[in-house]
Amino acid sequence: MNHQEHYDDVMCGIGALGEHIPGTIKSFFALHHAALADGALPKSTKELLALAIAISVRCGGCITCHVKDALAAGATAEQIYETIGVAILMGGGPSAVYGNEARKAVEAFTAVPV
């Protein structure tokens, strides 16, 4: 999977959905930005939390997006790998499979060979 293309597809798809339900999508993005803004927890930590939840609930698009956004917010690859470990603890075997997808996304977005 090309994670940059997947990221672009997810974001464009949500944007296209917004043409049909603009109020819902606009509200979703407002919530997204408010929930992930720096506060008592920095944005990078919030992105790591979102990533752990994405792995646990097995959402491939969310994994790709939150890996990219965690890196952009200053999280390190090592912090993402530890987050994957916590998600595996909480989600078991299926989270190991989706955690590997997160690893692939880290490598894709940091230009480290898979």
Side-chain angles (χ1 to χ4, degrees):
M1 169 188 321
N2 180 312
H3 284 279
Q4 184 61 54
E5 288 177 8
H6 191 214
Y7 179 89
D8 294 342
D9 183 59
V10 168
M11 297 308 291
C12 288
I14 293 172
L17 184 58
E19 295 174 19
H20 301 282
I21 49 172
T24 301
I25 298 304
K26 181 178 178 182
S27 296
F28 170 75
F29 277 117
L31 174 61
H32 181 272
H33 291 296
L36 295 174
D38 280 323
L41 294 174
K43 180 178 175 118
S44 61
T45 298
K46 292 178 179 184
E47 286 291 351
L48 294 172
L49 289 166
L51 174 61
I53 293 166
I55 292 168
S56 295
V57 301
R58 304 175 194 110
C59 179
C62 297
I63 291 167
T64 294
C65 291
H66 289 294
V67 165
K68 181 176 174 83
D69 293 346
L71 290 165
T76 65
E78 292 78 17
Q79 290 172 321
I80 292 173
Y81 294 137
E82 286 190 14
T83 298
I84 294 167
V86 172
I88 292 170
L89 165 69
M90 300 306 291
S95 290
V97 172
Y98 282 85
N100 187 50
E101 287 304 313
R103 177 198 57 83
K104 291 178 188 176
V106 169
E107 292 177 358
F109 291 128
T110 59
V112 176
V114 176

